[in-house]
């Protein structure tokens, strides 16, 4: 990846973090920490990987992206607005009475494939889309972004069994492995370790990556499928609340919303970064 | 009904390449004919109904018509939230098929009794719900739902149900079918109780009671006009369903009667008691335990009883 492109993707990640901050502050909404751990993943997907057309969101052969951790909706709306699926000014409608920009992701927003919010729904739907594409000989790929906490849901493991059985090598799952779920550390609630080994045992192609390194993310996502005839999973090691010192690795920022003072400090910290 | 279902589906799938069939590891010796003819559009998803329903939504949202198939409560209650969020909210073209509604699997035990599906699914906006009354209606129902955009639930019996309609009736989703005219009472049946309901109407004629029989093959959207005309023209209604007395056909009819400015009519609900059936028993055994339908009609008309929600099975 060129230095310029890397800088563009980093700038996109920064822009969507800033948008998200303002949105959750205005709405007094939760989940800013869960949004921030995904910023580079979304920047790489929407800035470098996904074959989508903001002018034609329903283009038949578009790549499909499903945010299964639907509580990170704010930052997905932000990246869609940055990509031109709808005007950036519409982001002020986030969580406002009567707005289609609901607190959990809504397919009534241009560019959103699937409404999510209840966990464990995205991967089964992604499997269906990938299977339909394969059997119809369509070229598109399906990307599903999962949280670590939602891997507690049994429905995910049904889908994790299903995808290799049907050789869904057009399916890429990305786990936002920030190690913190809603009410505790993943390790203390239901430990997922060894997560890569679990996926390997279920016959997935597996790679691990620093989920905040845009060039490493981009390189690996472009390599998928990691193994011929198998679905791919990229385990992205991330930091909850990444980018703002007082939010990083703090469980509280799953639920808290920044007040005016915290907002100002967070913006300052994000602006200072390259 | 299930044989009729798969035959009709195979005929349609030969004409329409968008039709898929997904099962949850059930349907041995029934679904084979579809799987053999259309292997690229058949998937046994395994014993995993949440994934079954999510996968179906994904395939449907890629431009297809997807039937999910399993028995009793497995394709409905086990994956209720997938039906709610993935299928209904997205208006995905998924047709959920459950075989064994009611007490078809009576002797298998309480886990296999399908008694709450209609009531629970009826609350989901935009979900069309069909429970055809005999194999003739089943065939017509499958044909019709193929032309219906959006989600649908098709509740079937099993195999070997008697044919009630001697010739194919005019069949439209949301339009009840009058099988027999009557003056004193209307028996409204949904699903596999239709044959019994017709028999009871015949027997009541011998007791001097003229009973209209209506097949309410579509529970949602309900044919409200058929309910109101039954109230106005026959003056009393008994609903008949192999389902809990709560929230199913009886409740739907009661909602119409109670909220309509039109004529009121006394109503009795024949169905499964609000109780756990803890014993083995054939379908006929459990139907009998729901009470005698003819007696219920007579008691309603004599003003001595309506339905009795407190009734329990003998322990």
């Amino acid at each position: 990846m060129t230095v310029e492109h890397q800088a563009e993707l980093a700038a996109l990640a920064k822009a969507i973090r800033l948008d998200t901050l303002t949105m959750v502050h205005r709405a007094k909404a939760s989940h800013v920490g869960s949004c921030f751990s995904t910023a580079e993943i979304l920047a790489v997907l929407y800035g470098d990987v996904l074959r989508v057309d903001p002018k034609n969101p329903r283009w038949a052969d578009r790549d499909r992206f499903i945010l299964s951790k639907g509580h990170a909706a704010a930052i997905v709306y932000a990246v869609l607005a940055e990509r031109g699926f709808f005007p950036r000014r519409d982001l002020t409608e986030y969580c406002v009475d009567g707005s289609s920009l609901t607190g959990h992701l809504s397919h009534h927003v241009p560019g959103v494939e699937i409404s999510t919010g209840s966990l464990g729904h995205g991967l089964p739907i992604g499997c269906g889309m990938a299977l339909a594409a394969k059997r119809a000989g369509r070229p598109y790929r399906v990307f599903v972004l999962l949280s670590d906490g939602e891997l507690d849901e049994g429905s995910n493991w049904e889908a994790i069994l299903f995808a290799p059985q049907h050789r869904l090598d057009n399916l890429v799952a990305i786990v936002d492995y920030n190690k913190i779920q809603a009410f505790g550390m993943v390790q203390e609630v239901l430990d997922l370790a060894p997560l890569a080994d679990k996926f390997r045992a279920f016959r997935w192609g597996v790679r691990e990556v620093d989920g905040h390194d845009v060039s490493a993310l981009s390189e690996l996502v472009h390599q998928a499928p990691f193994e011929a005839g198998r679905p791919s999973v990229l385990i992205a090691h991330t930091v909850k609340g990444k980018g703002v010192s007082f939010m990083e690795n703090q469980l509280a920022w799953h639920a808290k919303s920044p007040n005016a003072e915290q907002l100002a400090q967070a913006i300052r910290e994000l602006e200072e970064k390259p | 009904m299930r044989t009729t279902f798969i035959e009709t589906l195979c005929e349609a799938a030969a004409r329409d390449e968008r039709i898929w069939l997904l099962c949850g590891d059930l349907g041995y010796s029934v679904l084979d004919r579809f799987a053999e003819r259309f292997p690229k559009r058949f998937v046994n998803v395994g014993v995993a109904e949440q994934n079954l329903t999510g996968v179906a939504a994904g395939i449907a949202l890629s431009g297809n018509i997807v039937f999910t198939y399993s028995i009793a409560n497995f394709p409905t209650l086990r994956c209720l939230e997938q039906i709610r969020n993935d299928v209904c909210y997205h208006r995905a073209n998924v047709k959920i098929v459950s075989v064994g509604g009611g007490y078809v699997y009576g002797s298998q035990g309480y886990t296999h009794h399908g008694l709450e599906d209609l009531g629970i699914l009826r609350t989901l906006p935009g979900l069309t719900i069909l429970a055809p009354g005999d194999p003739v209606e089943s065939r017509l129902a499958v044909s019709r739902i193929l032309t219906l955009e959006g989600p649908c639930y098709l509740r079937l019996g099993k195999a070997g149900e008697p044919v009630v309609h001697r010739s194919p009736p005019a069949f439209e989703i949301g339009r009840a079918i009058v099988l027999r005219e009557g003056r004193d009472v209307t028996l409204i049946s949904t699903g596999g109780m239709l044959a019994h309901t017709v028999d009871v109407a015949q027997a009541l004629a011998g007791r001097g009671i003229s009973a209209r029989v209506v097949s309410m093959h579509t529970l949602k959207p309900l044919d409200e006009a058929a309910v109101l005309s039954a109230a106005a023209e026959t003056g009393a209604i008994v609903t008949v369903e192999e389902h809990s007395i709560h929230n199913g056909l009886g409740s739907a009819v009661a909602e119409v009667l109670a909220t309509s400015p039109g004529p009121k009519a006394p109503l009795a609900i024949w169905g499964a008691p609000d109780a756990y059936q803890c014993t083995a028993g054939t379908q006929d055994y459990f139907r009998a335990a729901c009470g005698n339908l003819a007696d219920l009609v007579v008691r309603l008309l004599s003003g001595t009883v309506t339905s009795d929600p407190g009734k329990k099975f003998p322990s």
Side-chain angles (χ1 to χ4, degrees):
Chain A
M1 176 180 293
T2 65
V3 178
E4 292 77 16
H5 192 38
Q6 191 177 336
E8 277 170 19
L9 295 178
L12 180 57
K14 178 172 163 177
I16 60 179
R17 275 200 181 92
L18 284 164
D19 287 338
T20 301
L21 258 182
T22 316
M23 291 161 71
V24 299
H25 167 70
R26 193 186 291 115
K28 297 186 172 60
S30 307
H31 305 128
V32 63
S34 321
C35 287
F36 280 9
S37 57
T38 70
E40 281 75 20
I41 296 166
L42 292 171
V44 166
L45 288 174
Y46 278 93
D48 192 54
V49 174
L50 294 176
R51 295 172 66 250
V52 289
D53 179 0
K55 299 285 166 273
N56 186 11
R58 292 280 150 195
W59 168 41
D61 281 333
R62 68 191 181 280
D63 284 339
R64 269 66 166 174
F65 170 71
I66 298 171
L67 177 79
S68 192
K69 45 173 289 183
H71 53 288
I75 198 160
V76 171
Y77 298 143
V79 81
L80 290 170
E82 294 285 348
R83 278 296 313 268
F85 282 88
F86 55 90
R88 270 194 72 225
R89 64 174 179 277
D90 290 1
L91 294 177
T92 59
E93 296 289 306
Y94 172 67
C95 284
V96 168
D97 288 352
S99 161
S100 51
L101 276 69
T102 48
H104 289 80
L105 198 67
S106 169
H107 69 286
H108 296 289
V109 174
V112 176
E113 292 289 341
I114 296 293
S115 289
T116 49
S118 177
L119 297 171
H121 285 246
L123 197 56
I125 299 173
C127 283
M129 290 177 167
L131 183 66
K134 272 196 95 64
R135 292 205 175 166
R138 306 301 286 261
Y140 61 84
R141 295 200 292 171
V142 181
F143 298 82
V144 181
L145 179 54
L146 301 155
S147 73
D148 44 15
E150 80 164 307
L151 288 173
D152 296 354
E153 293 282 4
S155 53
N156 277 323
W157 296 95
E158 295 181 2
I160 290 167
L161 271 171
F162 180 89
Q165 183 73 32
H166 295 279
R167 303 176 65 82
L168 300 182
D169 53 8
N170 54 348
L171 176 69
V172 181
I174 302 173
V175 180
D176 174 16
Y177 199 7
N178 63 31
K179 324 290 190 295
I180 300 178
Q181 52 192 104
F183 193 22
M185 304 296 289
V186 169
Q187 196 179 4
E188 291 163 1
V189 179
L190 279 179
D191 197 356
L192 295 173
L195 185 55
D197 288 344
K198 286 188 173 71
F199 274 102
R200 275 189 208 103
F202 278 74
R203 299 185 291 145
W204 285 59
V206 186
R207 296 288 183 276
E208 298 191 65
V209 67
D210 172 353
H212 300 299
D213 178 340
V214 289
S215 24
L217 274 167
S218 166
E219 191 183 328
L220 280 171
V221 177
H222 280 295
Q223 280 175 17
F226 303 140
E227 292 178 39
R230 292 188 178 192
S232 303
V233 60
L234 185 58
I235 298 174
H237 294 275
T238 56
V239 174
K240 193 152 189 154
K242 173 76 175 177
V244 173
S245 60
F246 60 88
M247 292 181 181
E248 288 192 357
N249 283 319
Q250 295 300 311
L251 174 65
W253 289 97
H254 186 88
K256 268 175 80 167
S257 194
N259 61 28
E261 197 181 319
Q262 289 163 331
L263 174 71
Q265 186 188 336
I267 290 175
R268 220 165 27 244
E269 287 189 23
L270 288 172
E271 296 280 15
E272 280 166 8
K273 294 199 167 65
Chain B
M1 286 191 197
R2 85 184 168 188
T3 311
T4 310
F5 161 73
I6 196 65
E7 283 171 357
T8 313
L9 191 66
C10 284
E11 290 164 17
R15 296 189 302 268
D16 189 340
E17 292 202 336
R18 297 172 302 160
I19 295 173
W20 289 57
L21 175 61
L22 272 54
C23 77
D25 203 36
L26 285 165
Y28 174 74
S29 83
V30 179
L31 305 187
D32 312 50
R33 64 195 86 177
F34 188 102
E36 284 158 14
R37 283 182 68 187
F38 313 105
K40 286 185 77 172
R41 292 184 273 144
F42 175 80
V43 188
N44 179 355
V45 174
V47 192
E49 293 81 9
Q50 295 183 75
N51 192 48
L52 166 74
T53 307
V55 166
I59 297 171
L61 292 169
S62 306
N64 300 292
I65 304 167
V66 186
F67 285 76
T68 62
Y69 178 100
S70 190
I71 70 166
N73 302 309
F74 310 155
T76 53
L77 304 195
R78 180 59 180 256
C79 46
L80 178 59
E81 198 186 56
Q82 279 75 16
I83 295 173
R84 178 186 186 272
N85 293 1
D86 306 350
V87 174
C88 291
Y89 186 39
H90 293 88
R91 290 197 54 74
N93 223 340
V94 173
K95 318 300 184 190
I96 301 148
V97 180
S98 181
V99 166
Y103 292 120
V104 164
Y105 296 110
S107 58
Q108 303 296 326
Y110 176 72
T111 58
H112 282 55
H113 299 172
L115 296 172
E116 302 88 16
D117 53 334
L118 297 174
I120 290 169
L121 295 175
R122 191 165 79 83
T123 59
L124 296 177
L127 181 66
T128 299
I129 300 179
L130 296 175
D134 79 337
V136 176
E137 288 188 14
S138 294
R139 171 174 294 277
L140 294 164
V142 175
S143 305
R144 285 293 183 275
I145 64 177
L146 285 166
T147 63
L148 180 82
E149 275 292 317
C152 182
Y153 172 47
L154 179 64
R155 186 205 222 218
L156 298 175
K158 195 180 174 187
E161 282 91 351
V163 169
V164 179
H165 294 280
R166 280 187 224 99
S167 59
F171 189 99
E172 278 180 58
I173 290 172
R175 287 287 294 278
I177 299 169
V178 177
L179 280 96
R180 177 191 177 102
E181 268 306 345
R183 295 179 311 273
D184 303 325
V185 64
T186 299
L187 311 183
I188 305 178
S189 166
T190 196
M193 291 307 300
L194 185 61
H196 179 64
T197 304
V198 170
D199 289 346
V200 167
Q202 184 66 39
L204 286 169
R207 295 161 74 169
I209 297 170
S210 165
R212 178 185 294 183
V213 175
V214 171
S215 174
M216 194 66 85
H217 50 73
T218 306
L219 187 68
K220 191 176 183 182
L222 192 77
D223 187 345
E224 299 187 2
V227 173
L228 293 174
S229 62
E233 293 160 19
T234 70
I237 295 176
V238 177
T239 58
V240 188
E241 61 195 306
E242 205 167 320
H243 180 273
S244 167
I245 52 172
H246 293 311
N247 304 332
L249 173 67
S251 298
V253 167
E255 288 159 13
V256 173
L257 290 174
T259 58
S260 152
K264 305 300 178 200
L267 169 69
I269 298 171
W270 187 96
D274 187 27
Y276 294 103
Q277 301 88 330
C278 305
T279 67
T282 60
Q283 186 174 27
D284 286 343
Y285 170 85
F286 283 118
R287 283 181 173 184
C290 292
N292 183 290
L293 177 58
D295 289 351
L296 180 64
V297 173
V298 170
R299 283 184 292 147
L300 178 75
L301 294 181
S302 65
T304 55
V305 76
T306 56
S307 62
D308 179 4
K311 67 188 172 184
K312 299 273 194 285
F313 282 88
S315 57

